[in-house]
Amino acid sequence: DLALDAGVRTAPLLAMRAALANAMSMYDSSRRDTELDLAETLAREALSLDGSNAHAHLVLSWPACARGHSALAIEHAETAVRLAPYHPSYLFAAGMTICASGDWPRGTALIREAHRLHRGMSSHSHAFLALGHLVEDDYDRALAEASVLSADGGFVWGPLFRSMALSGLGFEDEARAEAARAREMRPDVMDDVATHLGALARLTDAQLERLVGLVDAVDAPAEAALPDP
């Protein structure tokens, strides 16, 4: 911010600050729209200086996705891919946005290409691959991808997606164990899986109902304490 305020308004710097605003929109819901507006403003300023800045196009894809403008989100993400097909981080982010916008085959293909270009990507990058297979009813592959996901640091999607996949495959005891681990980590997520999945990606009502059903079949919420007699 100090550099921008001092007049150093280059396209790369503007795109970086816009990306930070996108991130802030995810972590502080009270400032969501303010941060998304800032991201759009800065990214557009970056593109006015350099229309080939892939990062700025990528940044613009997220506010569009978050506000339900799926076609526009995909257009910006695909432009970023076309401008920087060699950049694994951009490919992953574009794939994630495209998945979240509802095009799972294209989005997961880009994430796999990012993995091909950079084998050392975070294990968390497998989350959308796991969810993509769950959406496609491919529980074997969903379990394979979810098995890579860490449960460290409160990353609930690992045990949650493993629970869904195991439930779909009929391994109920193992699915219950993963659901219990997810509930221990994030009871708020397990109490309203539908809302949290819906915030993560664009899913049809049928897809959401099926995925939530996989969890409901094996999840055991803690019973409220009984009053003293």
Side-chain angles (χ1 to χ4, degrees):
D1 286 339
L2 290 176
L4 293 176
D5 291 343
V8 185
R9 304 184 77 84
T10 65
L13 186 59
L14 288 162
M16 289 173 59
R17 182 60 183 88
L20 179 59
N22 270 347
M24 291 300 297
S25 75
M26 301 176 202
Y27 289 108
D28 185 352
S29 59
S30 68
R31 290 185 52 80
R32 174 183 179 271
D33 287 332
T34 299
E35 295 292 348
L36 290 176
D37 287 343
L38 178 61
E40 287 185 319
T41 298
L42 293 175
R44 288 198 173 103
E45 184 179 348
L47 289 175
S48 73
L49 298 172
D50 178 6
S52 66
N53 188 289
H55 196 188
H57 282 288
L58 191 58
V59 166
L60 283 175
S61 71
W62 184 249
C65 177
R67 288 167 165 157
H69 305 304
S70 299
L72 181 60
I74 291 172
E75 179 183 346
H76 281 303
E78 290 285 11
T79 299
V81 170
R82 177 176 55 81
L83 292 169
Y86 50 82
H87 200 304
S89 295
Y90 290 179
L91 295 185
F92 169 71
M96 183 178 68
T97 298
I98 291 172
C99 284
S101 297
D103 189 343
W104 292 94
R106 175 58 175 163
T108 55
L110 287 172
I111 294 172
R112 292 189 187 285
E113 176 63 9
H115 284 167
R116 187 188 71 80
L117 292 172
H118 179 38
R119 301 291 183 181
M121 294 188 73
S122 166
S123 65
H124 290 179
S125 64
H126 289 265
F128 270 90
L129 296 178
L131 182 54
H133 288 311
L134 288 169
V135 168
E136 296 166 349
D137 299 352
D138 191 341
Y139 300 126
D140 288 300
R141 290 186 178 180
L143 181 58
E145 295 292 352
S147 295
V148 181
L149 297 174
S150 171
D152 295 337
F155 191 74
V156 71
W157 303 113
L160 178 54
F161 290 164
R162 287 193 290 272
S163 177
M164 289 179 176
L166 288 163
S167 178
L169 291 169
F171 296 109
E172 294 184 1
D173 290 342
E174 294 85 347
R176 286 192 187 95
E178 292 290 355
R181 186 173 293 112
R183 179 166 286 282
E184 182 179 354
M185 294 167 60
R186 291 288 303 275
D188 59 314
V189 172
M190 297 302 287
D191 284 342
D192 193 358
V193 173
T195 295
H196 286 84
L197 277 180
L200 185 66
R202 181 183 177 188
L203 299 167
T204 66
D205 290 343
Q207 290 168 341
L208 194 57
E209 181 179 359
R210 179 173 54 79
L211 294 177
V212 171
L214 292 172
V215 181
D216 286 347
V218 295
D219 184 31
E223 294 184 1
L226 295 176
D228 293 332

